[in-house]
Amino acid sequence: MENVSPPKPAVSENKQGGNSKEKKRNGSKLFQTLLVPVLALLTGFIIGAIVIALSNDAVIASYRNIFRDPGAALAATWSAISVAYGSLFYGSFGSVTEIFHSIQTYYSTGDSKAFLLAIYPFTESLTTVTPYILAGLAVAVGFKCGLFNIGAEGQFGIGALCSAYVGYAMHAPWYIHLPLALLAGAAGGALWGAIPGLLKGLTGAHEVVTTIMMNYVSFRLSDWLLNGPMKASGFRPLTPVIDNSAMLPQFFPDPLRLNWGFIIALAIAFLVYWFLFKTPIGFEIRAVGANPDGARYAGMNIVKNFVLAMTISGALAGLAGAVQVLGVDHWVGQGFSSGYGFDSIAIALLGQSHPLGVVLAALLWGTLRSGATNMQLNAGVPIEIISIIQGLVIVFVAAPAVIRWIYRIRAISTQTTVLTRGWGK
Amino acid sequence: MKRISTTFAVMAVIVLLFTACGPAATAVAPTAVPVKIGEVTDLGGVNDKSFNALAWKGVSDAIAQLGVDGVFLQSTQQSDYAKNIQQMLTSKEDLIVTVGFLLGVDTATAAKANPTQKFAIVDYTYPDCYPGAVEGKDCGSSTDLTNVRGLAFQTDQAAFLAGYLAAGMTKTGKVASFGGLQIPTVTIFMDGFEAGVKYYNQKHNTSVVALGWDSKAQTGVFVGNFTSTDDGKNTATSLAQEGADIIMPVAGAVGLGSAAYCQTAGTCLIIGVDTDWFVSSNEYASVELSSVQKKIDVAVLKTIQDVVNGKFTGGTVTYALADGGVDLAPFHNFDSQVPQTLKDELTQVRADINSGTVTVANVLAAP
Amino acid sequence: MAPVLELRGITKSFPGVLANDSINLSVEKGKILALLGENGAGKTTLMNILYGLYKPDKGQIFINGEEVAIQNPSDAIARGIGMVHQHFMLIPVMTATENVMLGVEPIRYGIFLDKAKVAKRILEISTQYDLEVDPNAYISDLPVGAQQRVEIIKVLYRQADILILDEPTAVLTPQEVEGLFKVLRSLVANGKSVIFITHKLKEVLAIADTISVLRGGKVVGTLNTKDASQEKLATLMVGREVNLVVKKKPATPGGVVLSVKDLCVRDESENLIVDRASFEVHAGEVLGVAGVQGNGQTELVYALTGLAHVLSGEISIMGKPLHHSSPRNILERGVAHIPEDRQRHGLILPFPVHDNLVLCTYYQPPFTKGLDLQQKIIIETAEKLVDQFDVRTPNVFVPVSTLSGGNQQKVIVAREFSRPIKLLIASQPTRGLDVGSIEYIHSRIVEKRDEGTAVLLVSPELDEIIALSDRIAVMYKGQIVDIVPAERVNKAYLGLLMAGVKSKEALEMAPTTSMEEVDRVT
């Protein structure tokens, strides 16, 4: 029975990884982080293609004759999908050759009209992206603190109404009016976020429940405001249009609506990154999000951080509404928020709650949305297909196991990002 | 890598298999027809069973009857309005149909920037500026726009018939209407309804009471929204308790709650608005006496016809009972219960309205 | 006769790690096999293979001489293998009976759950094997030891013949360990076989028939218990000679650092859990708090560190009273805390090692300037600490969750010891750690004491208390029942106090050679 082997020296663990090794590890970490979202996107598009083909009469008709003419069926399928995605792409980015030719035209004739028309789709995409960046950041900040802010929708709407009010009711030079209008939007959203934060911190009320309820309060409040105190005149539930001095300046003449809001959104994204990862306050928020017990042990104030994170989250969502009103719409009408807040949850998920990821995800989301108009018109594909693709991408990102299963990727790390904790304690 | 490409191959095959047995869909088959029509919806989308859907039905009818080419763009956000109109301009549609007041400003702005482009806007008219409003901002235009046709509807004429019908059918001697919000497009229905009841009383020397709206005092019952079926149920309950046995809710989906109440309680009948509810909300067919139809599809179809025939004109065009732009829907399940004499009277009233001998304003103004 | 269970050449690798390397093991009927090894030696992987949670890359499993393929836990259960995990798989809001019947619910009249039948069977099992459990008690109300008994009953209810117990004593008090051993003996007496996974040498010698030692995924030795000794096993396990006794000089106590007077604390369900506790800790001494787990030690520590609300009484540090101070305030007064639950309280697991090393000081200079975290300084400091405290990690950037338990604990110790501290509160500082790490942590604590730090050590492991403490307080039902100098006390006496015997009677039952010198404070 006894077969004691001589004791061997303990295996010394690799204590200091070499520099190159470190880089390699980081590289593979980046690859790992991007792998699932990218594959999710790809899968979403493939399934989207199936739906596009299925909803195309010509394709269906060609398949009735598949045994007589299989080539035609394949060709019809291919053409349906390529026309749809082609026009989606064109609608999102425009055409490189068109832009190139229009620049030539500009230099030879001095006429910029063609150039503006050529870059219209791309600028329109960036315009669409702007509120998504900010609203996505809002949800991401919540996630970082372990809070699921479903209330971005309501915060967005309140922010929009507040900035619209300052925009039309106040009159001041632009350098006062515009910042004040932006600030009003952020403040309105912040208030709307702070309330669930306080309820969570002080009474333990789950933020999912309270933010949903705050959404309803915001919807009904805006119904009332638009039909009452904030109604322009006559019978239409619209606010008056804001003053010129409160509008975010556009980069190009109409109809190109791209404005400073986009730059603001990028700047805010950087600011959020700095705040979360480079300041002690952000450190606390992340620590509380990752392990509230541990954070409390380390001397952090949990209630304060919950309230702070929800306030910042609300302020960002409110700012998204403000930027949209001050930069694009210039007035607020019924059904104004219509999904920005809910889409932003998806964007935060897709962006893995990292500010850079959120910007990328918002770029993707907005360009898809924007290009869909062209697809709807030129390929006859309903705009809902984009919602289907986006929905699928989110499902796959949220359930990475599905993607790993489809593509037979082994899970390298068992480490999962904690977005929110469960219900109750 | 190999596994991934295998997966792709498998998926491609699945794509092909699935596409072979899919259901037929309703995409617009492009045909080589010169006249192109583009519809831009508001947030409701093209399947809203209401204005947007009706406008699209008008375009679809035009596609079938006139051989035009039609597309639609759905707006999902406020910022889509201007963008979608821009997209329609880029694709050089002959007529751009925009739906609803939310597109009022953007339609006017685009129309002024593109004076040769033809537009039609549903349920909206220019000039739309009110005192103090800034043109191009608060309102679309302070003048009539020659390249925009505002489609207006004399719904009070059809509501007049509904009021007359209700007065003739009531057993309690009380009928009612109520609104979503006190705005002109809502109260015009209630005016017509009230006038119809009054006219019936004049003719028959009866004293049927119309609850829920007093056109002289401009006061009435309004629930404050167009969405809450609960409100519709509650309002119908109290109106029925006051004795009304025929109710016309002018409040969008709120009315469905009223219909549901009447179906459960069995003490009241409903007159629908905008569409023929027997078609659009058949689940309450057992209490749907009739509907006051705003035939947006007819208006859109007629406008397209004018474009095809080169007779397009801008300005406000009002569609009325005479041209089928508004109408009282058939009685459907209640056809046998409506006495022939009442039907004959309604035919007469209709003729009188069309000829102008009876108007809502005159009836309401009468002592 | 063939062994009940035999493993031949089991090999399993994970990316980058050979977790099990051609492992051979066999278990005889009615015997206890101890599987001994440090954390990360591959014990748990091997058992997960046996239980069908992992598939081996190579190797065969024989049950009663017949080769079997175990695809999943259901297979394992069907073959009579039962597993009691280190972290219990019980549902706290259900009763013992309900937990036992989960997944195998007996049905009466077609639709009704037959709870009574299960309860009866539970009572049968408990009498047969000395597994005392109230079938109707809610799991959340049961002490850890009783919860473990429910787990064992669960396994027996499913008619297991081979029981695998993964680190079963890690969460138990000395008395509960004794109880568990009694149960195990009665199990093998009834013909069951047991695989006992542990890293604790004494327990192995006390209970096992055969011992297999694992190191680095290999079986480095299999011996009969009678041939084994602590030193021999430790050497096999760690791969070098290990110092099993804590070497320390006599204490030179200074002034009072922590003074606690009539402290009362309520627990979450509003029960008085710390009851008029009074004691003092001096600079340069270790006061050990012994007691069966759940007698208020946890709450006492929470109250001292600001994590729990103080109901009444006085706490003062360096003479200054502590009135509902925040945890941060207390930390800043020079109190270090090695928490009982290191993963819940002590670390932010997804955070990198370097952030965990500054978890209590990140907001102070030099780590923060204005609103800027000084990442560079944090990393440099972290790298220094990792070196100094011998934390085995590839670098300071990896999430602390990827470290082994011992190294995680070293991160906490490094963090707490690197601050200027006057009082160290160490709550079960070596819980679940391997021999090497225990040795290290113990020596560090003694070192801190010798530097003049006051140390409050709370541990349910009496050996640890006796080895480290200069004075020992015993806690029972929230009260400090006695405080005795460590060198004058025997284990039996402490054990009796911990079990609730009054100190006078305990003295009679377990007389020490110098009874009258026993220093009684309460």
Side-chain angles (χ1 to χ4, degrees), chain C residues 196-259:
Chain C
F196 186 93
I197 303 174
T198 189
H199 61 262
K200 292 186 183 168
L201 304 171
K202 282 188 185 169
E203 289 170 2
V204 168
L205 294 169
I207 189 78
D209 297 305
T210 339
I211 304 164
S212 285
V213 184
L214 248 66
R215 191 175 74 233
K218 283 197 178 87
V219 175
V220 290
T222 296
L223 22 77
N224 288 322
T225 308
K226 58 175 172 12
D227 306 321
S229 70
Q230 277 201 54
E231 288 72 23
K232 209 166 175 181
L233 290 174
T235 310
L236 269 177
M237 203 166 122
V238 184
R240 65 183 159 87
E241 281 199 38
V242 181
N243 199 347
L244 289 171
V245 187
V246 185
K247 274 186 233 152
K248 57 170 188 171
K249 295 175 287 191
T252 48
V256 175
V257 174
L258 171 71
S259 143

Side-chain angles (χ1 to χ4, degrees), chain C residues 162-407:
Chain C
I162 306 163
L163 283 86
I164 306 170
L165 290 95
D166 189 4
E167 300 276 5
T169 58
V171 289
L172 300 185
T173 60
Q175 274 79 4
E176 282 172 335
V177 170
E178 269 314 311
L180 173 69
F181 286 180
K182 232 168 86 188
V183 170
L184 293 184
R185 287 193 193 101
S186 117
L187 282 171
V188 290
N190 280 281
K192 309 276 181 196
S193 310
V194 173
I195 302 179
F196 186 93
I197 303 174
T198 189
H199 61 262
K200 292 186 183 168
L201 304 171
K202 282 188 185 169
E203 289 170 2
V204 168
L205 294 169
I207 189 78
D209 297 305
T210 339
I211 304 164
S212 285
V213 184
L214 248 66
R215 191 175 74 233
K218 283 197 178 87
V219 175
V220 290
T222 296
L223 22 77
N224 288 322
T225 308
K226 58 175 172 12
D227 306 321
S229 70
Q230 277 201 54
E231 288 72 23
K232 209 166 175 181
L233 290 174
T235 310
L236 269 177
M237 203 166 122
V238 184
R240 65 183 159 87
E241 281 199 38
V242 181
N243 199 347
L244 289 171
V245 187
V246 185
K247 274 186 233 152
K248 57 170 188 171
K249 295 175 287 191
T252 48
V256 175
V257 174
L258 171 71
S259 143
V260 176
K261 224 182 248 168
D262 294 330
L263 180 71
C264 292
V265 182
R266 278 191 182 148
D267 68 4
E268 277 164 5
S269 35
E270 298 292 306
N271 300 317
L272 194 65
I273 186 89
V274 177
D275 186 3
R276 286 164 289 155
S278 299
F279 59 90
E280 285 176 345
V281 187
H282 296 258
E285 73 159 352
V286 178
L287 176 70
V289 177
V292 177
Q293 213 164 13
N295 274 283
Q297 304 98 311
T298 306
E299 288 75 10
L300 171 70
V301 169
Y302 283 180
L304 294 178
T305 49
L307 294 173
H309 188 76
V310 172
L311 186 65
S312 66
E314 247 180 57
I315 305 171
S316 43
I317 292 169
M318 303 293 288
K320 275 191 214 147
L322 208 96
H323 277 301
H324 306 305
S325 294
S326 68
R328 170 150 301 168
N329 189 307
I330 293 169
L331 292 177
E332 285 174 351
R333 288 214 216 165
V335 176
H337 178 196
I338 299 176
E340 169 184 317
D341 188 337
R342 84 179 70 92
Q343 300 205 336
R344 183 178 156 203
H345 281 118
L347 298 165
I348 310 284
L349 286 178
F351 275 24
V353 172
H354 62 76
D355 279 347
N356 273 288
L357 281 167
V358 296
L359 202 59
C360 301
T361 46
Y362 63 92
Y363 60 96
Q364 295 167 335
F367 304 125
T368 291
K369 252 186 216 157
L371 260 182
D372 255 330
L373 276 180
Q374 303 297 305
Q375 211 76 33
K376 219 180 122 203
I377 299 176
I378 291 176
I379 289 164
E380 280 168 13
T381 312
E383 275 166 352
K384 239 180 272 164
L385 288 174
V386 160
D387 255 3
Q388 194 183 334
F389 286 82
D390 194 31
V391 181
R392 304 284 172 88
T393 172
N395 54 55
V396 296
F397 306 103
V398 297
V400 79
S401 58
T402 60
L403 269 52
S404 69
N407 282 306

Side-chain angles (χ1 to χ4, degrees), chain A residues 1-231:
Chain A
M1 198 71 191
E2 186 154 345
N3 53 353
V4 183
S5 63
K8 285 179 199 158
V11 184
S12 70
E13 283 172 63
N14 181 17
K15 221 175 144 192
Q16 291 289 336
N19 209 7
S20 64
K21 210 169 180 178
E22 171 62 20
K23 265 185 199 150
K24 200 177 159 194
R25 198 190 61 80
N26 282 344
S28 96
K29 194 181 158 200
L30 184 70
F31 175 73
Q32 281 296 318
T33 314
L34 288 179
L35 189 62
V36 167
V38 167
L39 288 178
L41 194 67
L42 198 68
T43 316
F45 269 98
I46 291 170
I47 298 178
I50 298 173
V51 179
I52 289 170
L54 281 178
S55 57
N56 187 302
D57 287 342
V59 173
I60 301 299
S62 71
Y63 273 82
R64 301 220 167 86
N65 295 327
I66 184 151
F67 294 111
R68 253 183 291 153
D69 194 353
L74 283 174
T77 309
W78 175 249
S79 112
I81 295 169
S82 60
V83 166
Y85 283 157
S87 53
L88 176 65
F89 188 83
Y90 178 81
S92 301
F93 302 104
S95 137
V96 179
T97 43
E98 265 177 40
I99 294 172
F100 183 69
H101 286 306
S102 68
I103 293 173
Q104 279 184 328
T105 314
Y106 176 69
Y107 276 112
S108 51
T109 66
D111 181 9
S112 64
K113 217 175 146 195
F115 174 68
L116 293 177
L117 210 62
I119 60 166
Y120 174 76
F122 186 57
T123 59
E124 193 55 37
S125 290
L126 295 183
T127 310
T128 316
V129 163
T130 306
Y132 286 127
I133 293 179
L134 290 167
L137 288 170
V139 179
V141 167
F143 277 153
K144 277 290 176 206
C145 195
L147 298 166
F148 199 164
N149 179 11
I150 293 189
E153 184 82 12
Q155 293 146 11
F156 184 96
I158 292 294
L161 284 170
C162 289
S163 63
Y165 182 77
V166 172
Y168 73 76
M170 243 189 71
H171 310 288
W174 73 267
Y175 49 85
I176 297 172
H177 203 178
L178 179 57
L180 211 62
L182 284 168
L183 218 61
L191 174 73
W192 230 246
I195 295 170
L198 272 170
L199 289 174
K200 166 109 182 174
L202 298 179
T203 70
H206 201 285
E207 76 281 1
V208 166
V209 177
T210 51
T211 51
I212 290 176
M213 292 307 134
M214 290 300 282
N215 279 346
Y216 282 110
V217 176
S218 126
F219 297 156
R220 295 296 152 251
L221 185 67
S222 53
D223 274 353
W224 175 70
L225 286 171
L226 291 174
N227 284 303
M230 290 180 74
K231 185 159 72 171

Side-chain angles (χ1 to χ4, degrees), chain C residues 3 40 53 65 104 111 155 163 224 262 281 317 426 432 435 448 487 511 521:
Chain C
L53 291 168
V104 286
I111 48 168
V155 168
L163 283 86
N224 288 322
D262 294 330
V281 187
I317 292 169
V435 179
K448 216 62 197 168
E487 69 272 20
V521 173

